[in-house]
Amino acid sequence: MPGPNTRLYQTMPILLHRFGCCQRPWQLWLAAMVFLASGALRAEPPAQPSTPPVGRVELGAEDSHADATVACMYPMTGRSASFGRDSIVAIQLALEERSSDPDAPRLRVIVDDSRSKASFAVRMAEDFIQNDDANILCGMVSSGVGMAVSRLAKQRKIIMVGTDHASSRASLEEGHRYYFRVSSDTWYSHAAGARYLAELQEKNGWRKLAFLGPDYEYGRVAWRDLRQALHQNGTRYEVTGTYWPKLYEPDYSLYIQSLLESPPDVLVVSLWGGDFIAFLEQARTTQLFSRMRVANFDAGGDYETLVSLKDDPPEGLILSARHHVNWPDTEQNRRFVTRFHELSGRYPSYSAQGAYAGMLAIARAISIAGDVTDTDAMIEALEGLEIPLPKDPEGYVSYIDPDTHQIVQAQAIGTPVANDQYPPAQVMLGNWTVYDAESLKPSPALVKKRRGEPGG
């Protein structure tokens, strides 16, 4: 049962709509108390918030009644704020589902703004552990932030469940017994992308490849993963250039000009969120899309990006993401997308499914372990844990690889096609090519090589 602070947060969009005349904080607060006391919340589902939360939010059980405290960090400001906003809604959805099970553990979930800064997030994690008695750390969008907090989790011997950041180095080179990830990483995305490019090469004979990614952990590892996967497939190609704009770069014109001066046949981009949208918008004013195919295998198919394409996507785009609103066409995915829309008034980004998966994994592991403070039992429960998720194709269930602690999931790659079923988007991905989960797993030899172990 959500506490008063959580209920007030959930009703705020309704209050702002109904009591717009309340100009002063005390007037709005009084209206809120009357509104909650009247029970009106039960009569109307929450509408879309006018602005995303920008500070600490508490969800789920009150501290005094909680079986576990889960402390999550997501960006709530800047270009990536939408990922934090959607993660909060997805956590609410997961808690709502678990509340119908009388045997499910009662989770107190704290969410705060990581500001996409590693040092700030590490200090916040320390505060969660020391001041909030957090049992589990969770979330994180930026790979730089995620890996910094992962190192703290290892040092403090506290379990961390990553729900969005995607650098494969976090589970391979720097993987440890306390770190688990419940969304696809750069290896899985680019292993699927490498197979797609190999099949495309058989069709059109492309040879020249360029890569453009953010100049930090995520972009650098994505490029390495793609090259390793292409080598694994035996794909032959020539690199015409690699380009490294900073994270949240406002102007991509110099990179676009350089690409046009030495055009590849295929450009792979690993920008994400608002960065990828900005790149697309700036590139559309040039001849870039008529000169090369552009692919983004990890984050390019996000719902928000599809909205930005309107009804006229650039030609030749090849996109994927860690979750799709319209794939797979299963009851579970339809239910997740529909309920998310009911709670928020919008459709989920891929980060939402990661946050949802994180809450389900944590709750299930606690049920198996019996006590969240028994860290060894929790780790044993998480290793190999099966989690039915919206991303799962019919007949498949996601699970956490006991060796790498990385979730094993299928990957679908598509191209934009007209589709107005999920407004305001006017296109969605279609023409799917699907790669099954097991075929994307890094081989034991690759895992050993990346970890510097004998036999790698």
Side-chain angles (χ1 to χ4, degrees), residues 140-437:
M140 286 144 278
V141 169
S142 163
S143 289
V145 171
M147 292 185 64
V149 177
S150 174
R151 292 169 194 138
L152 172 68
K154 181 180 180 180
Q155 176 188 342
R156 296 298 302 268
K157 299 182 179 179
I158 184 172
I159 290 172
M160 172 180 157
V161 177
T163 69
D164 192 71
H165 56 277
S167 169
S168 63
R169 192 157 68 96
S171 60
L172 295 179
E173 285 91 334
E174 295 200 18
H176 54 84
R177 70 189 304 259
Y178 303 99
Y179 177 81
F180 296 84
R181 180 163 46 208
V182 292
S183 63
S184 297
D185 68 1
T186 52
W187 171 261
Y188 280 79
S189 298
H190 290 89
R195 288 175 59 183
Y196 190 98
L197 291 178
E199 293 162 10
L200 182 65
Q201 191 176 77
E202 292 179 1
K203 295 177 183 178
N204 66 13
W206 72 267
R207 279 291 180 271
K208 297 179 179 180
L209 178 71
F211 184 88
L212 186 147
D215 190 14
Y216 78 111
E217 170 69 27
Y218 170 76
R220 296 286 179 171
V221 173
W223 175 226
R224 182 177 63 172
D225 286 343
L226 179 64
R227 284 178 295 157
Q228 286 186 332
L230 287 168
H231 176 76
Q232 182 174 282
N233 295 341
T235 304
R236 299 175 65 86
Y237 60 96
E238 171 193 345
V239 178
T240 60
T242 54
Y243 304 89
W244 304 104
K246 65 182 180 181
L247 184 64
Y248 306 144
E249 169 65 55
D251 183 2
Y252 296 95
S253 58
L254 291 178
Y255 303 100
I256 293 168
Q257 182 61 37
S258 181
L259 283 162
L260 289 171
E261 290 173 358
S262 181
D265 299 315
V266 177
L267 168 65
V268 176
V269 180
S270 69
L271 301 176
W272 52 274
D275 284 14
F276 187 50
I277 292 172
F279 171 79
L280 291 176
E281 290 175 348
Q282 293 172 34
R284 289 182 76 154
T285 65
T286 72
Q287 297 181 340
L288 186 138
F289 294 104
S290 64
R291 304 282 299 277
M292 65 197 72
R293 297 291 300 270
V294 176
N296 187 319
F297 296 119
D298 188 62
D302 183 54
Y303 176 78
E304 203 167 287
T305 301
L306 298 176
V307 171
S308 75
L309 298 179
K310 300 179 181 178
D311 64 349
D312 183 29
E315 59 182 294
L317 277 180
I318 304 166
L319 303 174
S320 187
R322 297 166 216 161
H323 171 256
H324 302 281
V325 169
N326 64 326
W327 183 91
D329 186 16
T330 60
E331 175 60 29
Q332 186 174 19
N333 196 35
R334 289 192 297 270
R335 185 172 62 247
F336 171 76
V337 170
T338 299
R339 185 56 182 150
F340 186 99
H341 190 269
E342 290 172 350
L343 288 173
S344 66
R346 59 184 182 271
Y347 291 103
S349 60
Y350 62 75
S351 61
Q353 202 241 196
Y356 174 81
M359 291 303 110
L360 296 189
I362 290 167
R364 183 164 296 194
I366 294 172
S367 295
I368 295 171
D371 183 354
V372 72
T373 64
D374 187 342
T375 303
D376 290 338
M378 285 290 296
I379 291 172
E380 184 177 352
L382 285 164
E383 290 180 336
L385 182 71
E386 292 188 348
I387 323 165
L389 291 173
K391 188 179 177 180
D392 294 342
E394 203 71 59
Y396 180 79
V397 176
S398 296
Y399 70 94
I400 297 176
D401 185 340
D403 183 26
T404 63
H405 291 189
Q406 165 65 45
I407 202 164
V408 181
Q409 294 183 313
Q411 194 79 3
I413 299 174
T415 58
V417 297
N419 186 329
D420 60 3
Q421 295 180 35
Y422 306 92
Q426 297 174 320
V427 298
M428 298 298 292
L429 295 186
N431 303 317
W432 297 106
T433 301
V434 180
Y435 301 96
D436 71 275

Side-chain angles (χ1 to χ4, degrees), residues 10-11 13-15 17-18 35 39-47 342:
Q10 293 171 333
T11 60
I14 302 172
L15 299 174
H17 173 71
R18 290 196 175 184
F35 188 66
L41 174 60
R42 293 187 294 272
E44 181 176 347
E342 290 172 350

